[in-house]
């Protein structure tokens, strides 16, 4: 059903934002696609866009400010109006339990009035207020005494900055869907401005609105020359609410229709809508059974300009039951919505709490808009409707049937936030549409849709990943894209934007064709013919077909974790064929692989797709990979530049080791000469009461009567009950050398030594706490200094040969001398010494 072709070649990357001063912008060329980006110093939290299409001025609602940006010259500094909350009101807001950040004035509503003014509403520290913007002077109107001219914004603008709402202006009258109280627990769809007696709102019943999240609204005007029945203009509201007709806690997308001339009833439904009807929107792929029940955004487009009956609503959905991000687009026609609104009503029987269709419907039909027929019967206004009609409308706002559509595209692992649509071709010869989808990570995706086939054209990064796209407005072949911090302008219309044959081929379904004469992509009215038009166009580019991808060979190594991509725009599932092994996991349509020698080989992704009016899915190969090990070539040299670099590093380290060994040998020679009796330091250097830090040498103490402590210690050490013990006079403790807790650490400026032959550290840190003694060696120094701390055991020296003398005394004296020589240059330290704890090897 969808075509998930990704953009070939290098991914278009936008340089990070660098515009820090007002009026500065960043022009960028992305593969022939011109992008201009603008940030504004000191102004943030852009939430509302309003475009004057005739002048190209874009009005931005932000925190405590309103900006006017000339889209024809983004380099020009914007105009700015500050509208802040008085300090007393801000403190009162904080005192009511709101945060400092929320107690500002967030501009949430900008709408043109009939007289050319802009109606501006802000949260105003949880007390919504509205003002009037004079466009020529770009100032807020004031009263005669110089104060700002304001009126209440309750029911017109949200109280909280993050609350969802929608509004539309019809003949200078504002229609809104927003919260109507401080706590955000009351919701209204209302005519918010105009004569006081004509302001109507919804009935306070959960049958009408049940915890809604408002998304979008649209005015459908009837052209007088194409409206023979005299039907009234209608306003449509789109939102998601809790479904009262379902037993489960389920969210359901809705569409509500009210009529512009509705002024409420005379007795029943006074100042309430008498034409309030709502229906469920169903975005579902029947083949897979997947339903998308949360509405995120709606874009309204007339497929034939000037013909309201050709209006289509493109809805952006996600799923309540999907644990990960998933986005779908479904399109609903005005004809289908009108058909459901004219169908049967749904009723909840009080006896069994089940919804059923009512048996009798009064005349005239409840919820019907005024037309010539009703006026001929004497119903010139909703005030003249009979009570039985109004009572029926009050109790039966929900329609029995649903407005259903199959998704045009589905993207898993991606969260789309905003949607705009460009219709391709003339009204008489529509060649599909291009969907412009903003993501929660600051990207703009372009998807071509022809009939029921969707093809990914480009993925354009615009903002930082922390800036979601929250506004998209189409204007003169450009998309004005907004985030909470920035604005970007992207060229969107015209086949010439697709600078490569492959990208142009993916847009073949919407009328684009590659010209080999001048290497450009052009719009054409030539019928692409039947079959897979994208596949045929790709073959003309000497590229692999859409369902016949080339196999990519990947050099891997055991233990490597890789993600094999398989982009799919269809709601149908994707599956992988690969060598049977457990070290694989499918993430949406992609496949995560942990490489082993057993799972090398071919990996093929096949997705189920369907064409126009085709219910049975057809398989399509979307990606193919072959994994093989990275090995040296036949000559024995390294086949990768990285291996050559490793070899050079090893050679360099070898020579550095030789130099260091020479210096170490020279140092040990000097130490051996300085350890003679004539150069011996007095014993009181090791027994003074002064508090000092004891530093260990990187060399091992040597003496004539004993071999190296390193060699002795490791030859005679054993491991018992998880600890290392030694039968020599000196106990050596070690820690894991490969990144262990003592490896390559410092104490008092002395480096820790390690033995490269076995990977264990011979020296570690030891801290005696209050005594101030810090040993950078794990030798039990106190034992070798006469047993001042702990119990020193006499080593087993074996039988003594005749004439050999007291071997134990000589060994003790020699090793004590070696230790004294080791610390001869140091100050005295406090005694007694505490032995270091042993650590397991």
């Amino acid at each position: 059903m969808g075509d998930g072709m990704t953009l070939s070649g290098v991914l278009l990357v936008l340089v990070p934002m660098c515009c820090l001063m007002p009026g500065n912008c960043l022009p960028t060329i992305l593969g022939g696609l011109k992008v201009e980006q603008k940030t504004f110093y000191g102004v943030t939290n852009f939430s509302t866009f309003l475009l004057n299409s005739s002048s190209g001025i874009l009005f931005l609602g932000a925190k405590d400010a309103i900006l006017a940006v000339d889209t024809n010259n983004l380099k020009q500094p914007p105009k700015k109006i500050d509208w802040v909350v008085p300090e007393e009101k801000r403190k009162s807001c904080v005192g009511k339990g709101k945060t400092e950040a929320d107690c500002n004035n967030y501009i949430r509503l900008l709408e043109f009035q009939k007289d050319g003014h802009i109606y501006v509403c802000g949260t105003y520290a949880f007390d919504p207020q509205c003002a009037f913007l004079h466009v020529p002077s770009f100032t807020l109107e004031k009263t005669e005494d110089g104060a700002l001219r304001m009126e209440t914004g309750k029911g017109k603008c949200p109280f909280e900055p993050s609350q969802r709402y929608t509004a539309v202006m019809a003949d200078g009258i504002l229609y809104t869907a927003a919260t109507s109280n401080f706590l955000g627990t009351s919701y209204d769809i209302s005519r918010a401005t105009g004569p006081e007696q004509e302001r109507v709102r919804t009935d306070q019943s959960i049958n009408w609105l049940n915890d809604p999240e408002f998304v979008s609204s649209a005015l459908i005007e009837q052209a007088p020359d194409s409206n023979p029945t005299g039907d009234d203009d209608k306003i449509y509201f789109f939102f998601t609410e809790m479904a009262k007709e379902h037993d489960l806690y389920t969210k359901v997308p809705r569409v509500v229709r009210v009529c512009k001339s509705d002024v409420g009833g005379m007795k029943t439904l006074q100042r309430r809508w008498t034409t309030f009807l709502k229906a469920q929107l169903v975005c579902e792929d029947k083949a897979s059974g997947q339903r998308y029940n949360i509405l995120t955004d709606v874009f309204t487009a007339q497929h034939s300009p000037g013909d309201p009956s050709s209006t289509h609503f493109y809805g952006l959905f996600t799923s309540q039951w999907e644990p990960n991000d998933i986005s779908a687009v479904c399109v609903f026609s005005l004809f289908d919505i009108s058909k459901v609104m004219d169908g049967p009503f749904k009723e909840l029987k009080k006896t069994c709490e089940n919804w059923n269709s009512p048996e009798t419907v009064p005349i005239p039909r409840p919820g019907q808009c005024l037309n010539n027929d009703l006026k001929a019967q004497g119903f010139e206004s909703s005030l003249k409707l009979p009570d039985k009609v109004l009572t029926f409308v009050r109790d039966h706002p929900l329609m029995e049937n649903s407005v259903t559509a199959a998704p045009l595209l589905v993207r898993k692992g991606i969260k789309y936030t905003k949607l705009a649509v460009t219709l391709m071709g003339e009204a008489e010869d529509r060649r599909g549409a291009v969907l412009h989808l903003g993501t929660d990570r600051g990207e703009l995706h372009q998807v071509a849709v022809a009939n029921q086939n969707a093809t990914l054209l480009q993925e354009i990064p615009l903002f930082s990943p922390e800036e979601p796209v929250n506004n998209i407005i189409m204007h003169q072949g450009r998309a004005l894209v907004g985030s909470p911090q920035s604005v970007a302008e992207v060229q969107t219309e015209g086949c010439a934007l697709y600078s490569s044959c492959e990208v142009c081929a993916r847009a073949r379904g919407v009328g684009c064709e590659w010209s080999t004469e001048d290497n450009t992509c052009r719009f054409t009215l030539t019928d692409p013919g039947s079959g897979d038009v994208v596949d045929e166009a790709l073959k003309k580019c000497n590229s692999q077909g859409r369902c016949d991808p080339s196999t990519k060979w990947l050099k891997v190594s055991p233990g490597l974790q890789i993600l094999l991509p398989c982009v799919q725009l269809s709601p149908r599932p994707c599956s992988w064929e690969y060598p049977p092994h457990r070290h694989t996991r499918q993430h949406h349509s992609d496949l995560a692989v942990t490489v082993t020698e057993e799972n090398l080989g071919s990996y093929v992704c096949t997705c189920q797709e369907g064409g126009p009016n085709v219910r049975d899915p057809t398989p399509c190969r979307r990606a193919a990979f072959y994994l093989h090990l990275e090995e040296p070539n036949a000559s024995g040299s390294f086949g990768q530049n990285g291996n050559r670099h490793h070899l050079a590093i090893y050679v360099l380290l070898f020579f550095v080791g030789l130099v260091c060994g020479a210096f170490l040998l020279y140092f040990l020679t000097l130490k051996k000469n300085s350890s003679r009796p004539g150069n011996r330091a007095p014993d009181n250097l090791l027994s003074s009461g002064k508090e000092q830090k004891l530093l260990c040498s990187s060399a091992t103490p040597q003496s004539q009567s004993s071999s190296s402590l390193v060699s002795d210690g490791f030859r005679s050490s054993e491991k018992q009950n998880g600890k290392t013990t030694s039968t020599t006079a000196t106990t050596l403790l070690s820690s894991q050398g490969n990144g262990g807790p003592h490896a390559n650490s410092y104490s008092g400026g002395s480096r820790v030594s390690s033995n490269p032959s076995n990977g264990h550290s011979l020296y570690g840190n030891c801290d005696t706490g209050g005594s101030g003694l810090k040993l950078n060696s794990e030798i039990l120094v106190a034992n070798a200094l006469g047993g001042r701390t702990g119990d020193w055991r006499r080593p087993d020296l074996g039988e003594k040969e005749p004439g050999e003398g007291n071997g134990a005394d000589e060994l003790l004296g020699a090793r004590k001398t070696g230790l004294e020589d080791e610390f001869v240059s140091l100050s005295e330290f406090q005694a007694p010494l505490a032995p270091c704890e042993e650590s397991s090897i």
Side-chain angles (χ1 to χ4, degrees), residues 254-285:
R254 305 283 200 197
V255 55
V256 160
R257 187 190 74 183
V258 295
C259 301
K260 191 175 69 172
S261 300
D262 189 355
V263 292
M266 178 62 71
K267 296 180 180 179
T268 305
L269 293 181
Q270 290 183 4
R271 307 282 297 271
R272 301 292 186 269
W273 294 108
T274 65
T275 57
F276 184 93
L277 297 178
K278 66 179 180 179
Q280 179 177 348
L281 298 175
V282 176
C283 180
E284 179 184 19
D285 177 58

Side-chain angles (χ1 to χ4, degrees), residues 253 280-284 286 291-292 317 330 332 402-406:
Q280 179 177 348
L281 298 175
V282 176
C283 180
E284 179 184 19
K286 294 186 180 298
R291 179 175 290 193
Y292 311 93
F317 291 83
C330 281
F332 306 91
S402 301
V403 189
T404 62

Side-chain angles (χ1 to χ4, degrees), residues 599-612:
N599 63 2
L600 300 174
S602 178
Y603 288 74
V604 178
C605 175
T606 302
C607 297
Q608 302 297 322
E609 298 182 348

Side-chain angles (χ1 to χ4, degrees), residues 436-641:
H436 310 278
L437 297 152
T439 73
D440 62 342
R441 296 182 60 80
E443 298 176 332
L444 183 69
H445 292 184
Q446 294 181 344
V447 178
V449 176
N451 296 321
Q452 296 295 318
N453 289 328
T455 306
L456 179 63
L457 299 177
Q458 299 185 104
E459 296 182 344
I460 310 168
L462 294 178
F463 313 117
S464 67
E466 292 76 21
E467 293 185 65
V469 173
N470 60 5
N471 279 286
I472 302 178
I473 294 181
M474 307 306 298
H475 175 58
Q476 296 180 352
R478 297 169 293 172
L480 303 174
V481 186
S483 75
Q485 312 295 332
S486 313
V487 175
E489 187 179 71
V490 184
Q491 292 179 333
T492 56
E493 283 188 8
C495 297
L497 297 176
Y498 310 129
S499 57
S500 68
C501 183
E502 286 77 12
V503 180
C504 183
R506 298 187 191 113
R508 184 65 184 97
V510 294
C512 295
E513 188 175 35
W514 184 256
S515 173
T516 57
E517 297 177 357
D518 50 5
N519 290 332
T520 58
C521 189
R522 298 177 177 178
F523 182 79
T524 178
L525 295 176
T526 304
D527 189 356
S530 59
D532 195 334
V533 297
V534 174
D535 191 70
E536 295 297 326
L538 284 171
K539 291 179 180 178
K540 293 180 181 179
C541 298
N542 295 324
S543 179
Q544 295 291 331
R546 187 178 62 86
C547 293
D548 186 24
S550 59
T551 301
K552 299 179 181 179
W553 288 63
L554 301 179
K555 293 183 179 181
V556 295
S557 58
L560 183 67
Q561 295 182 352
I562 59 177
L563 183 67
L564 303 179
C566 181
V567 177
Q568 171 66 359
L569 302 181
S570 170
R572 312 295 169 81
C574 296
S575 60
W576 285 84
E577 298 177 8
Y578 52 86
H581 199 267
R582 62 177 181 171
H583 294 295
T584 57
R585 182 175 61 88
Q586 189 164 340
H587 180 69
H588 301 303
S589 58
D590 302 334
L591 185 69
V593 180
T594 301
V595 178
T596 64
E597 293 185 358
E598 291 81 9
N599 63 2
L600 300 174
S602 178
Y603 288 74
V604 178
C605 175
T606 302
C607 297
Q608 302 297 322
E609 298 182 348
N613 303 321
V614 176
R615 295 179 61 92
D616 296 331
T618 57
C620 176
R621 291 184 61 182
R622 304 297 301 121
F625 302 90
Y626 191 88
L627 306 186
H628 63 101
L629 289 179
E630 187 177 25
E631 297 178 351
N633 56 24
S635 62
S637 61
F638 289 90
Q640 300 289 333
N641 292 333

Side-chain angles (χ1 to χ4, degrees), residues 93-126:
C93 173
V94 175
K96 294 178 182 178
K98 303 302 179 180
T99 64
E100 287 277 359
D102 288 344
C103 290
N104 290 286
N105 188 22
Y106 294 86
I107 310 302
R108 300 296 310 277
L109 183 134
L110 295 171
E111 289 290 342
F112 284 110
Q113 292 184 311
K114 264 189 166 183
D115 57 2
H117 285 71
I118 296 179
Y119 197 57
V120 183
C121 297
T123 58
Y124 211 72
F126 278 80

